[in-house]
């Protein structure tokens, strides 16, 4: 399976049955817990639409990570797909996001770490973003937290 196909499958699998304020808190605290276990110097952001529902900066992160969060999140908002998938699509075409997207690289970054929050029947309603690790690790951390968030839903049959 290609990188693009794997990332597309991941997004399809990580669609939530709902996303409440409580779910945003749970997702954010899951990410904080995972990052602390790994001593990861990250900043974390969870949004529904334009509203920031959760933000945390862990030791070793900086304001630069917040700027990366904004740039990666804008890619999710524009494309409705993870920032890592958008970058992978450009790479699969033999180019880069920066060279071919026609978007300002000071405002948009198709680097791993921002993932759409998609709800069954509603589509993309927000984003969850991590910054501070290499892009594949930022992406993997978000995916792991979303998988854990989905686990109780699967057990409930919700």
């Amino acid at each position: 399976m290609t990188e693009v196909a794997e990332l597309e499958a991941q997004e399809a699998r990580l669609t939530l049955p709902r996303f409440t304020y409580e779910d945003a808190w749970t997702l954010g605290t899951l990410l904080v817990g995972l990052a602390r276990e790994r001593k990861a110097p990250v900043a974390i952001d969870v949004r529904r639409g334009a509203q920031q529902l959760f933000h945390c900066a862990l030791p070793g992160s900086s304001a630069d990570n917040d700027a990366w969060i904004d740039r990666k999140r804008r890619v999710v908002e524009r494309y409705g797909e993870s920032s890592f998938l958008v970058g992978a699509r450009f790479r699969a075409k033999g180019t880069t996001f920066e060279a071919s997207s026609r978007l300002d690289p000071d405002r948009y970054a198709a680097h791993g770490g921002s993932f759409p929050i998609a709800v069954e029947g509603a589509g993309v309603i927000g984003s969850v973003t991590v910054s501070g690790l290499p892009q594949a690790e930022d992406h993997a951390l978000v995916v792991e937290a979303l998988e854990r968030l989905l686990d109780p839903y699967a057990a409930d049959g919700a």
Side-chain angles (χ1 to χ4, degrees):
M1 191 183 280
T2 68
E3 179 184 27
V4 169
E6 287 176 24
L7 293 169
E8 288 172 341
Q10 215 172 49
E11 288 191 21
R13 183 172 47 83
L14 295 174
T15 298
L16 303 171
R18 64 181 181 268
F19 192 72
T20 65
Y21 285 92
E22 186 65 30
D23 293 325
W25 175 259
T26 301
L27 179 57
T29 56
L30 274 168
L31 281 162
V32 169
L34 291 169
R36 282 185 173 154
E37 284 172 16
R38 296 160 195 184
K39 297 182 178 19
V42 298
I44 299 160
D45 183 80
V46 180
R47 291 179 185 255
R48 188 170 67 187
Q51 186 179 19
Q52 184 179 55
L53 302 181
F54 185 96
H55 185 85
C56 181
L58 295 176
S61 66
S62 70
D64 193 46
N65 297 115
D66 292 328
W68 274 97
I69 282 172
D70 288 342
R71 292 170 61 214
K72 293 190 278 189
R73 177 183 42 79
R74 284 186 191 105
V75 169
V76 171
E77 290 170 352
R78 184 168 185 115
Y79 290 84
E81 298 176 321
S82 76
S83 52
F84 205 37
L85 173 56
V86 172
R89 286 187 194 285
F90 280 92
R91 288 189 298 278
K93 294 176 188 172
T95 186
T96 65
F97 177 81
E98 295 77 11
S100 299
S101 71
R102 301 177 52 128
L103 295 172
D104 181 354
D106 288 337
R107 294 191 45 79
Y108 295 87
H111 293 257
S114 192
F115 204 93
I117 295 173
V119 173
E120 293 168 9
V124 175
I125 58 100
S127 63
V128 52
T129 310
V130 168
S131 175
L133 302 170
Q135 66 171 331
E137 292 176 39
D138 278 346
H139 179 83
L141 188 62
V142 170
V143 167
E144 184 177 347
L146 284 168
E147 288 170 341
R148 290 187 185 198
L149 182 67
L150 265 171
D151 225 12
Y153 294 132
D156 291 347

